[in-house]
Amino acid sequence: MKATYYGQSSLALETADEKTLLFDPFITPNPLAKTVDINNLKPDYILLSHGHGDHMADLIAIQKNTGAKVICIFEIADWLGKQGITNVHAMNIGGSFNFDFGRVKMVNAIHSSTLPDGSSGGNPAGFVIHANNGKKIYFSGDTALTYDMKLLEDENLDWAILPIGDNFTMGVDDAIKATGFINCKNVVGVHYDTFPVININQEEVSEKFIKAGINIQLPKIGETINL
Ligand code: NI
Ligand code: MN
């Protein structure tokens, strides 16, 4: 499955049946993502982990451009409805649903979730995607290391997309611990370098993961990798 990184926690997965899943679009306010034109993004689905601006700044614009279906927690679905976005699939933690590209389970994340106007975004969430091509991907969203991740150890995850920037989320050491909890050795690191407090040294971080036996990918913004 192809994954294209758009900075912060935003990336698009292309499934074998040619559906594009865009996660957490925060592009136009990100000075590191100036090369990405949101008008070129054509997602079929937008999966939103929580209501913070660095995850949903471009959601409304991209949804209006494309008509993509938004998959998010109930409270954000309700809020999006009030903004005139009705092609929304509301879920809640622990629930799964079969979409045409595969099955999505909404899972726990330890973080906060406030919408741009200060409304509550309900609980923050992560997603486990069981794509029709057999690939299983965990997008944790913004989260602390949490023992709930242990619940995923029997999922046979192929890849985990984990925050590594520290301060607002897990840092590298906790992300490495998380790979043990979820029993997954392939990681795409996200949520770093966008703000000074989450700057990382990519070489040092990569070395730590490699020493721990983890295949770590830190794609450049705009780069497409194979998962
Ligand atoms: Ni956040
Ligand atoms: Mn964030």
Side-chain angles (χ1 to χ4, degrees):
M1 166 171 345
K2 280 183 187 165
T4 304
Y5 184 52
Y6 297 122
Q8 190 64 342
S9 295
S10 188
L11 81 172
L13 297 181
E14 265 176 66
T15 66
D17 34 11
E18 296 186 343
K19 299 289 179 198
T20 300
L21 281 51
L22 177 66
F23 292 79
D24 285 5
F26 167 77
I27 297 160
T28 54
N30 184 354
L32 304 177
K34 286 292 172 222
T35 52
V36 182
D37 180 354
I38 62 165
N39 296 307
N40 293 334
L41 305 183
K42 306 283 181 230
D44 300 287
Y45 295 87
I46 304 171
L47 289 87
L48 180 65
S49 65
H50 66 295
H52 289 158
D54 62 315
H55 297 260
M56 64 171 294
D58 294 309
L59 183 140
I60 288 176
I62 295 170
Q63 199 286 331
K64 286 190 170 159
N65 275 347
T66 60
K69 185 181 285 290
V70 181
I71 302 173
C72 61
I73 203 155
F74 176 81
E75 285 79 1
I76 297 180
D78 191 46
W79 184 85
L80 287 172
K82 291 176 188 151
Q83 321 302 312
I85 294 183
T86 53
N87 192 12
V88 179
H89 184 103
M91 299 183 73
N92 214 323
I93 310 286
S96 298
F97 189 81
N98 288 322
F99 295 88
D100 57 358
F101 60 84
R103 190 164 181 83
V104 174
K105 185 171 193 180
M106 182 171 270
V107 296
N108 200 24
I110 302 292
H111 192 67
S112 57
S113 181
T114 309
L115 288 155
D117 62 2
S119 312
S120 169
N123 283 308
F127 298 102
V128 176
I129 315 294
H130 292 195
N132 289 340
N133 63 6
K135 284 275 165 81
K136 296 187 181 177
I137 310 240
Y138 171 45
F139 180 91
S140 75
D142 282 6
T143 186
L145 177 67
T146 162
Y147 214 66
D148 279 6
M149 290 170 175
K150 267 276 190 195
L151 296 169
L152 304 182
E153 72 181 341
D154 300 324
E155 290 275 351
N156 294 315
L157 295 169
D158 292 294
W159 283 88
I161 298 157
L162 303 176
I164 59 170
D166 220 334
N167 193 76
F168 297 118
T169 66
M170 294 191 288
V172 57
D173 295 327
D174 281 354
I176 288 170
K177 266 189 201 164
T179 65
F181 286 0
I182 62 177
N183 189 25
C184 179
K185 299 265 183 222
N186 297 309
V187 171
V188 180
V190 299
H191 211 274
Y192 63 89
D193 281 359
T194 312
F195 316 114
V197 293
I198 59 172
N199 279 346
I200 65 164
N201 178 321
Q202 291 197 25
E203 242 168 69
E204 280 175 23
V205 163
S206 294
E207 254 168 49
K208 274 192 173 180
F209 274 102
I210 291 163
K211 266 194 190 153
I214 309 297
N215 168 24
I216 179 72
Q217 298 287 324
L218 300 174
K220 293 186 179 64
I221 293 175
E223 186 182 352
T224 300
I225 58 172
N226 275 310
L227 303 188

